Amino acid sequence: MNTALSWIKAYVPDLECTAQEYCDRMTLSGTKVEGYTALDKNLEKIVVGEIRKIEKHPDADKLIVCQVDIGGQILQIVTGAPNVKEGDKVPVVLDGGKVAGGHDGGPLPEEGIKIKAGRLRGVESAGMMCSIEELGSSRDMYPDAPESGIYILPADAVPGEDAVALLGMRDTVFEYEITSNRVDCYSVLGIAREAAATFDKPFLPPVVKVVENGENVNDYVSVEVEDADLCSRYCARVCTNIKIGPSPEWMQRRLAASGIRPINNLVDVTNYVMEEYGQPMHAFDLDTVAGHKIIVRRAKDGEEFQTLDGQMRKLDKDILMICDAEKEIGIAGIMGGENSKITDKVKTVLFEAAVFNGPNIRKSAKRLGLRTDASGKFEKGLDPANAREAIDRACQLIQELGCGEVVGGTVDVCQTLAPLRVLPFEPDKYNKLLGTRISEEQMLSIFEKLDIRVLRNGDQIQLEIPSFRQDLVGRADLAEEVARFYGYDKIPVTLPASSSTMGKLSFKLRVEQKARDIAEYCGFSQGMSYSFESPKVFDKLLLAQDDKAREAIAISNPLGEDFSIMRTLPLNGMLVSLSNNYNRRNKDVRLYELENVYIPKSLPLTELPDERMQFTLGFYGNGDFYTLKGVVEEFLESLGMKERKVYDPEAGRPFLHPGRQAAILYQGQQLGYLGEVHPLVCENYSIGTRAYVAVLDMPAVLPFATFDRKYEGIARYPAVTRDISMIVPKEVLAGDIESVIVQRGGRLLESYSLFDVYEGSQIKEGCRSLAYTISFRAMDRTLEESDVAGAMKKIVNGLEQLGAQLRDK
């Protein structure tokens, strides 16, 4: 979005500021200015000159010598321009002045070109007459400029006055970055309203009053909207006795500054209103509209339509078209048709100002590969109330510029407009949100400057939001309006209120982070593997053909067979990583991984699979089964899982060694498994040593995890320890013995630990010796012998039921 400062000042006449000040203050108030360009950059000492006399150059056939009046002084200037004649008014650069560029219209030099008096082929020349290119512009912006030659100024120009100002170049063009929610700022009036509020100046929009003839528009045209979901409002007006000609210079200059090439008065009016109001318009030659009827409907699949640029466009049923009684005459919101374009022979014009569905216009423009200034505005979502005022403004300009007569009335096919949004005025909450102490009066003053109507009902105050501010929907939006015009730089620095929240990881992510911390503390490095696997993995892991893990999700468009299914087990990636390290002769390798497995609820898929996070540990080298068991217990205890963990040797995992594996249970719930990798599996993965893996199912761990900790003071009373040594059958597990100790030790039991395991000739065959240290303590008293003896008796009785025999010391 570009605007000239002079155009802004037309609606904010008291605005006085430098270009840099305007840029800075508008940006601070929320209308970001990307940059600005001074149109008179490098234009110095350029005045109006009148050619009084022309003579041939004595020594050059293509040069002429002109006597130029610059206001009470005659200068002699030599030129080769073929288009000048006596009496012409031309821009003249005086000695020591500057021009922006060369006559060839090439890239403008950064510092401009300095002009000095001198001699041309032996004849004195005191300055230079300028082409439009030398003034830094082009024939696109000044259509009346000659293709090659000096720019001729209006006949009423006064010699000696500022030629740059006369050409409208004493101006600055600002480029804005407008966010998509501020549709109102895609117009000069919207920018001017922001400028008036920023500089605290009166905003004076144009007063729209249309002078109509005595005819009725309904006698000229009728409108039918078939697809109201894509066109919520369609306004049409008619102008007769059209006279095509150039638009006035002030309009041409404003359009040129916005990057729009002036064409003629009719086209320029539609472009001018589009920039001024942000409402795209279109003009049809009414004599080419069959039946003098407009029908707004969807196109038909496969239809073709020739747009104004001469291209044939293939249509579909989702593209909205403007049609007459027989044919399509325009693509709604994008571009008109070749069959209804305005020519110099036009007599009666039909003006259109409509509100089309923004997303539909965007999608249509993208499919057609045709994006225009109009479609760029429509796709943002226009204010439905703006269309009527914009079309009236266009008709007002047509009449004022003598371009035609305005037929009375407007055809307005419009859905019921939504009532204006009303929000409560909550100054205390705005101040609390902003950390300010702005008074109610100051807030209301800001709202009134933004055309937000203040409604008073006794002590209650409400704010009526104008239709063009579609972005104001709640308290935070109103607080932002207060902040940006009060001044962000004036808001004091404050500490966050005590009610503010502190960001932190979710509970699930904290547990996963704890897994990483424990693994790395124990010497494991993190690995990462693909979620995609090959079906051959199941055979390498020795899974039975009917194993549930083989029911994997097939990928529709796999990279290849090796990446054709989603993993259901986390082991393949871990074993591949261990294999790669082993075969690169890394001696001791410890890896961990946190990854999802994907368990389908049914095949083929009818719903999303169960994605379960797995904490996988794997290593080879220094360590054994109990090393890995210790890491697992360290992790579980760090999550507050203090109760006894059970390790069931009947884990039933075919990829683990049958005698060196265990399922991990806690409070009767299986959390995972660990063990030594089966030798055949190691061979399948080319691992030539013993390897160990553990897998914990994190969703199963989470219900038992807690980071709550309760402080317990240091015990004030001594502990009493007893050692117990027993001979038990080999089939009796140490875990079973420890269960008896826990169950029968009672509340006085503090701890226990296995300190000796012995098998040998002194122990009868089929048995082994186990020895434990058991510690007892009371928190409120010193234990007596009878307390400890009673607890030990219960433990011994329970061990004897397992077949244990106490050893004599």
Side-chain angles (χ1 to χ4, degrees):
M1 177 72 190
N2 293 349
T3 68
L5 184 58
S6 61
W7 201 348
I8 299 297
K9 287 184 176 180
Y11 311 124
V12 192
D14 295 338
L15 180 61
E16 294 295 335
C17 61
T18 65
Q20 188 61 53
E21 184 183 1
Y22 179 89
C23 179
D24 293 342
R25 292 188 61 177
M26 289 292 284
T27 298
L28 281 175
S29 69
T31 307
K32 184 179 179 182
V33 182
E34 285 286 301
Y36 62 88
T37 302
L39 298 183
D40 58 354
K41 181 182 179 182
N42 295 326
L43 301 181
E44 299 177 7
K45 300 177 70 174
I46 303 176
V47 299
V48 175
E50 180 180 358
I51 301 175
R52 294 294 183 87
K53 186 178 181 180
I54 297 177
E55 296 176 339
K56 281 192 172 185
H57 192 288
D59 295 322
D61 293 339
K62 294 185 178 180
L63 297 178
I64 56 176
V65 181
C66 302
Q67 303 300 319
V68 182
D69 179 5
I70 61 167
Q73 182 183 359
I74 303 296
L75 298 181
Q76 179 172 286
I77 298 176
V78 178
T79 181
N83 67 313
V84 295
K85 62 183 184 299
E86 292 180 0
D88 281 346
K89 308 286 180 65
V90 296
V92 176
V93 191
L94 305 179
D95 180 25
K98 275 187 179 182
V99 292
H103 66 278
D104 58 355
L108 301 180
E110 184 65 27
E111 299 299 326
I113 300 173
K114 195 163 187 177
I115 303 300
K116 293 182 179 180
R119 301 176 69 88
L120 285 178
R121 299 292 294 271
V123 176
E124 295 285 344
S125 182
M128 185 181 80
M129 293 181 282
C130 303
S131 68
I132 199 64
E133 289 79 14
E134 288 164 331
L135 295 173
S137 191
S138 68
R139 293 184 68 246
D140 284 342
M141 299 301 112
Y142 288 80
D144 56 330
E147 187 171 350
S148 176
I150 303 301
Y151 185 80
I152 308 301
L153 296 170
D156 58 355
V158 178
E161 71 176 8
D162 187 349
V164 176
L166 182 65
L167 288 168
M169 291 184 176
R170 294 290 182 206
D171 205 351
T172 305
V173 177
F174 295 92
E175 180 184 356
Y176 305 87
E177 180 184 322
I178 308 298
T179 55
S180 296
N181 65 322
R182 288 303 305 273
V183 182
D184 59 304
C185 286
Y186 283 90
S187 67
V188 177
L189 285 175
I191 297 291
R193 185 182 291 107
E194 292 287 306
T198 298
F199 289 90
D200 198 18
K201 302 294 182 182
F203 172 58
L204 304 176
V207 178
V208 179
K209 186 176 181 181
V210 184
V211 178
E212 303 172 341
N213 63 20
E215 298 178 287
N216 189 328
V217 69
N218 294 296
D219 297 333
Y220 281 84
V221 68
S222 62
V223 176
E224 178 183 345
V225 178
E226 292 185 1
D227 293 281
D229 57 323
L230 300 183
C231 176
S232 58
R233 188 171 197 177
Y234 192 99
C235 298
R237 295 203 69 160
V238 174
C239 294
T240 60
N241 299 323
I242 297 296
K243 302 176 183 66
I244 298 295
S247 55
E249 286 191 14
W250 61 267
M251 181 177 286
Q252 292 188 36
R253 299 292 76 79
R254 289 179 180 180
L255 290 175
S258 299
I260 298 175
R261 181 171 63 91
I263 297 175
N264 59 48
N265 50 6
L266 189 57
V267 175
D268 291 353
V269 163
T270 60
N271 286 332
Y272 184 87
V273 173
M274 179 176 71
E275 292 300 304
E276 186 178 41
Y277 279 80
Q279 171 67 53
M281 295 184 60
H282 191 70
F284 299 100
D285 185 342
L286 187 60
D287 293 333
T288 66
V289 177
H292 286 193
K293 183 175 184 179
I294 294 293
I295 302 173
V296 184
R297 62 167 175 81
R298 296 173 186 263
K300 295 180 175 63
D301 286 332
E303 285 184 333
E304 291 189 342
F305 178 71
Q306 187 176 21
T307 47
L308 278 171
D309 58 1
Q311 300 294 315
M312 293 299 296
R313 310 285 177 177
K314 191 169 183 179
L315 310 177
D316 61 56
K317 62 181 176 60
D318 292 321
I319 295 176
L320 191 66
M321 300 297 293
I322 308 300
C323 310
D324 61 18
E326 300 174 355
K327 61 187 181 299
E328 297 87 358
I329 57 175
I331 303 177
I334 301 177
M335 186 177 283
E338 182 74 17
N339 55 10
S340 62
K341 69 179 182 181
I342 299 293
T343 66
D344 292 342
K345 298 179 180 179
V346 64
K347 296 300 180 185
T348 306
V349 167
L350 170 65
F351 281 113
E352 164 198 283
V355 179
F356 301 116
N357 180 274
N360 176 264
I361 296 298
R362 176 174 171 77
K363 292 175 183 177
S364 299
K366 192 171 183 179
R367 287 200 301 278
L368 292 170
L370 179 62
R371 201 163 187 272
T372 61
D373 288 341
S375 68
K377 286 182 166 58
F378 275 120
E379 65 189 29
K380 304 294 190 303
L382 299 184
D383 171 18
N386 195 37
R388 180 65 182 269
E389 189 169 356
I391 200 170
D392 287 346
R393 172 65 166 161
C395 291
Q396 176 192 28
L397 290 171
I398 289 291
Q399 187 271 326
E400 289 180 351
L401 299 181
C403 184
E405 297 179 12
V406 181
V407 173
T410 304
V411 178
D412 188 357
V413 180
C414 179
Q415 296 182 19
T416 303
L417 296 179
L420 294 181
R421 188 181 299 113
V422 176
L423 299 176
F425 176 57
E426 303 170 305
D428 292 339
K429 293 181 179 179
Y430 305 154
N431 276 323
K432 185 176 180 181
L433 189 62
L434 300 173
T436 55
R437 294 181 179 178
I438 306 172
S439 66
E440 291 187 17
E441 293 73 18
Q442 196 169 358
M443 290 184 186
L444 292 174
S445 174
I446 290 172
F447 291 138
E448 288 172 344
K449 286 190 293 186
L450 295 172
D451 286 349
I452 297 173
R453 188 179 172 198
V454 178
L455 305 177
R456 299 178 186 269
N457 184 10
D459 294 335
Q460 185 181 17
I461 300 177
Q462 292 182 308
L463 303 173
E464 186 179 71
I465 309 302
S467 60
F468 58 81
R469 289 304 302 271
Q470 301 175 35
D471 59 307
L472 301 182
V473 296
R475 179 190 306 149
D477 302 316
L478 294 174
E480 181 185 9
E481 297 303 293
V482 171
R484 65 194 188 96
F485 290 108
Y486 172 73
Y488 289 114
D489 54 325
K490 297 179 184 176
I491 297 177
V493 177
T494 57
L495 292 173
S498 59
S499 61
S500 64
T501 58
M502 180 177 65
K504 62 179 181 179
L505 294 176
S506 66
F507 182 75
K508 173 178 177 292
L509 293 179
R510 290 176 67 194
V511 171
E512 291 173 11
Q513 186 59 51
K514 179 61 72 175
R516 294 186 184 93
D517 292 343
I518 294 298
E520 291 168 8
Y521 170 76
C522 294
F524 288 75
S525 299
Q526 185 170 12
M528 298 185 74
S529 58
Y530 289 112
S531 298
F532 306 153
E533 291 185 338
S534 167
K536 298 175 183 177
V537 166
F538 303 129
D539 294 330
K540 293 175 72 174
L541 294 174
L542 309 181
L543 294 183
Q545 291 299 318
D546 59 349
D547 196 298
K548 290 285 289 181
R550 288 182 178 268
E551 297 178 7
I553 301 167
I555 298 171
S556 300
N557 187 23
L559 298 173
E561 185 183 4
D562 290 342
F563 302 96
S564 60
I565 61 170
M566 301 297 290
R567 65 183 170 204
T568 56
L569 292 170
L571 289 175
N572 178 65
M574 177 60 70
L575 293 174
V576 168
S577 298
L578 292 175
S579 174
N580 290 337
N581 279 276
Y582 177 81
N583 289 289
R584 286 166 176 74
R585 301 185 180 181
N586 292 326
K587 292 184 179 179
D588 295 305
V589 174
R590 295 186 176 197
L591 299 174
Y592 78 92
E593 189 171 358
L594 281 161
E595 72 280 287
N596 283 333
V597 295
Y598 303 86
I599 311 301
K601 297 173 184 176
S602 62
L603 288 176
L605 283 179
T606 57
E607 56 182 317
L608 291 175
D610 184 13
E611 298 185 29
R612 302 186 71 84
M613 177 66 71
Q614 309 288 290
F615 178 30
T616 307
L617 298 158
F619 79 95
Y620 66 80
N622 186 21
D624 57 16
F625 176 94
Y626 297 102
T627 304
L628 196 56
K629 176 174 173 284
V631 177
V632 170
E633 293 211 346
E634 180 80 16
F635 168 60
L636 296 178
E637 289 184 11
S638 72
L639 297 179
M641 300 167 67
K642 301 296 185 182
E643 295 185 24
R644 184 173 167 273
K645 294 83 181 171
V646 175
Y647 296 88
D648 182 2
E650 302 299 328
R653 305 288 174 170
F655 40 78
L656 297 180
H657 193 294
R660 299 169 188 158
Q661 62 173 281
I664 306 168
L665 295 96
Y666 186 78
Q667 295 184 7
Q669 176 71 37
Q670 182 167 328
L671 306 183
Y673 53 86
L674 79 160
E676 180 183 328
V677 179
H678 197 291
L680 291 179
V681 175
C682 283
E683 184 179 335
N684 290 340
Y685 282 92
S686 302
I687 302 174
T689 186
R690 289 185 176 184
Y692 301 88
V693 294
V695 177
L696 286 167
D697 183 39
M698 298 298 274
V701 172
L702 284 175
F704 302 105
T706 177
F707 291 102
D708 295 337
R709 300 291 183 266
K710 182 179 179 181
Y711 171 75
E712 294 182 359
I714 298 174
R716 298 173 57 189
Y717 301 96
V720 177
T721 60
R722 293 287 186 271
D723 291 345
I724 184 171
S725 179
M726 70 201 82
I727 297 173
V728 296
K730 286 186 178 180
E731 60 269 18
V732 176
L733 302 176
D736 297 334
I737 294 173
E738 291 172 3
S739 294
V740 171
I741 294 173
V742 171
Q743 291 170 6
R744 303 228 170 185
R747 61 183 180 84
L748 298 179
L749 178 68
E750 183 178 62
S751 64
Y752 59 88
S753 64
L754 176 68
F755 67 86
D756 184 62
V757 179
Y758 176 73
E759 296 180 33
S761 58
Q762 298 180 16
I763 306 298
K764 67 179 181 180
E765 189 176 350
C767 295
R768 59 180 173 174
S769 172
L770 300 177
Y772 281 86
T773 291
I774 304 174
S775 179
F776 299 92
R777 190 194 303 266
M779 299 300 292
D780 58 348
R781 61 189 173 87
T782 300
L783 292 178
E784 298 179 0
E785 177 60 28
S786 59
D787 297 323
V788 177
M792 286 299 297
K793 184 177 181 180
K794 291 179 182 178
I795 290 173
V796 170
N797 290 339
L799 294 175
E800 289 176 348
Q801 293 177 17
L802 289 178
Q805 227 176 0
L806 292 184
R807 295 182 63 185
D808 296 331
K809 293 186 179 179

